[in-house]
Amino acid sequence: MRYTLKQIEVFVAIARNENVSRAAEGLNLSQSATSAALAELENQFGQQLFDRHGKRLRLNEQGRLLLPRAVELLDRAEEIEALLRGERGLGNLRVGATLTIGNYLLPLIVAGYLQRHPESRVQLQVHNTATIASLLLHYEIDLGLIEGQVRDAELESEPWVEDELVVFCAPDHALAGRATVTPDELADQPWILREQGSGTRETLNQALRHLPRGITPRLELEHTEAVKRAVESGLGIGCISRLALRDAFRRGSLVPVETPALDLRRNFNFVWHRGKYHTAAIRLFLQDCRSFTAGARHSDQIPLPPVP
């Protein structure tokens, strides 16, 4: 075999970072050793794998074809090494989740997974949909669980469980208790919204796309809990997953606004890179996610412990 796993590891690290020095830092190698490993790999086969733009290296067509196979080779090699060391765990699993899933579902799913596989390790990152998609495209995480949609041809998604957004307000708000609120009335309200790039914002924008005047964002926030607190304080109305509002509705600290003219349905989705090899850890984690929500048609029907 004319290449080494170290060369493949260097290639993948540079592809992820688009920079030799950052790749070297992540691999605990010197910059010169990292550059030499890539040069050797390219020279051995007479193939350039990157286009050079100053210090930035971007995958060319040949490099893009190689990357998913290189990542799969490293994943399989890691599984083999673990077996040779006598380890029974499933190895490291890197999961990215959007906020509602990451805050309300994933901690419980991960806890159950680690109880069943105590020698395994899980790294969990919580970001908006756009960031999760970027991490997947750079092979920085193995699996994404998102509330929005991804449109990149390199990413594959699979529906998980149905979800629904709901417009909500403080119990003393003028819209509270109304049987129906029209889109025009919603346009007159100040809104507390999730940021652009979040799946929640994308779903709301889609539902309001026919509203001539649009809506006025008074405040844009990156966290679901911050949106809830701002609406509770009377700054405006909001729209997030019914799952995230279940306990607040039960307590009466927030109330739903009835908006039958808006289609606020969506799915929670699994998403991964099309070229990503599904290790045993990924397969079992997906199985745990499906088992956790089994029997629940909608996300707010998933049995969860109440938050006081």
Side-chain angles (χ1 to χ4, degrees):
M1 195 172 294
R2 295 173 58 192
Y3 61 84
T4 67
L5 285 177
K6 177 57 69 179
Q7 289 173 333
I8 297 299
E9 189 177 24
V10 165
F11 163 72
V12 170
I14 294 174
R16 286 172 173 164
N17 291 278
E18 297 185 340
N19 180 276
V20 172
S21 60
R22 288 197 298 270
E25 183 178 349
L27 294 170
N28 292 319
L29 295 174
S30 67
Q31 185 170 337
S32 59
T34 304
S35 296
L38 175 62
E40 289 169 4
L41 180 63
E42 291 181 322
N43 292 336
Q44 281 172 330
F45 295 94
Q47 294 278 2
Q48 291 291 312
L49 301 173
F50 294 91
D51 294 325
R52 272 72 171 175
H53 303 275
K55 293 184 178 180
R56 191 168 188 177
L57 284 75
R58 288 187 174 178
L59 288 170
N60 59 22
E61 183 61 27
Q62 189 71 15
R64 284 191 292 271
L65 289 172
L66 175 61
L67 182 58
R69 295 166 175 81
V71 172
E72 177 178 348
L73 176 62
L74 294 177
D75 287 341
R76 289 182 181 272
E78 185 177 335
E79 287 182 328
I80 291 171
E81 185 174 343
L83 287 172
L84 290 171
R85 288 197 300 262
E87 295 179 4
R88 296 184 179 181
L90 297 171
N92 190 34
L93 180 63
R94 302 166 302 167
V95 179
T98 45
L99 268 74
T100 302
I101 296 172
N103 289 333
Y104 295 93
L105 302 182
L106 257 294
L108 297 171
I109 295 172
V110 169
Y113 175 85
L114 291 176
Q115 286 170 2
R116 284 183 289 277
H117 310 289
E119 296 180 24
S120 301
R121 302 179 303 278
V122 176
Q123 298 173 359
L124 176 59
Q125 298 189 48
V126 179
H127 302 286
N128 65 26
T129 296
T131 302
I132 296 299
S134 177
L135 293 172
L136 287 166
L137 287 169
H138 289 85
Y139 290 93
E140 294 179 41
I141 56 175
D142 302 310
L143 176 68
L145 292 86
I146 64 171
E147 301 148 40
Q149 295 182 339
V150 292
R151 296 177 175 84
D152 196 293
E154 293 185 56
L155 299 180
E156 182 174 352
S157 62
E158 177 185 306
W160 177 17
V161 66
E162 292 181 14
D163 183 50
E164 181 187 30
L165 302 186
V166 58
V167 179
F168 65 101
C169 64
D172 57 354
H173 192 279
L175 298 183
R178 292 272 302 276
T180 300
V181 177
T182 68
D184 284 339
E185 289 175 306
L186 295 175
D188 293 331
Q189 298 295 322
W191 282 79
I192 314 300
L193 298 177
R194 284 288 310 280
E195 79 287 1
Q196 295 286 359
S198 70
T200 296
R201 183 67 173 272
E202 179 186 24
T203 301
L204 179 61
N205 288 346
Q206 180 69 11
L208 295 171
R209 67 191 184 282
H210 299 306
L211 193 63
R213 289 187 291 157
I215 59 175
T216 304
R218 186 177 192 182
L219 186 62
E220 295 180 274
L221 298 166
E222 294 185 356
H223 296 284
T224 300
E225 291 300 313
V227 173
K228 289 163 63 176
R229 299 289 87 78
V231 173
E232 282 180 349
S233 68
L235 289 178
I237 64 175
C239 183
I240 58 176
S241 171
R242 191 178 291 274
L243 171 64
L245 291 161
R246 186 166 61 175
D247 288 308
F249 286 168
R250 176 179 55 81
R251 294 191 304 266
S253 58
L254 293 167
V255 295
V257 175
E258 300 301 327
T259 58
L262 300 184
D263 183 3
L264 295 170
R265 295 170 297 174
R266 64 178 184 179
N267 282 320
F268 291 163
N269 298 298
F270 303 121
V271 60
W272 53 80
H273 200 291
R274 286 190 182 276
K276 177 65 180 174
Y277 165 61
H278 279 206
T279 63
I282 294 175
R283 294 193 300 271
L284 287 173
F285 190 81
L286 286 170
Q287 181 178 312
D288 280 5
C289 290
R290 296 185 184 103
S291 297
F292 187 82
T293 58
R297 182 177 177 184
H298 300 285
S299 66
D300 61 318
Q301 297 171 348
I302 300 168
L304 299 174
V307 177

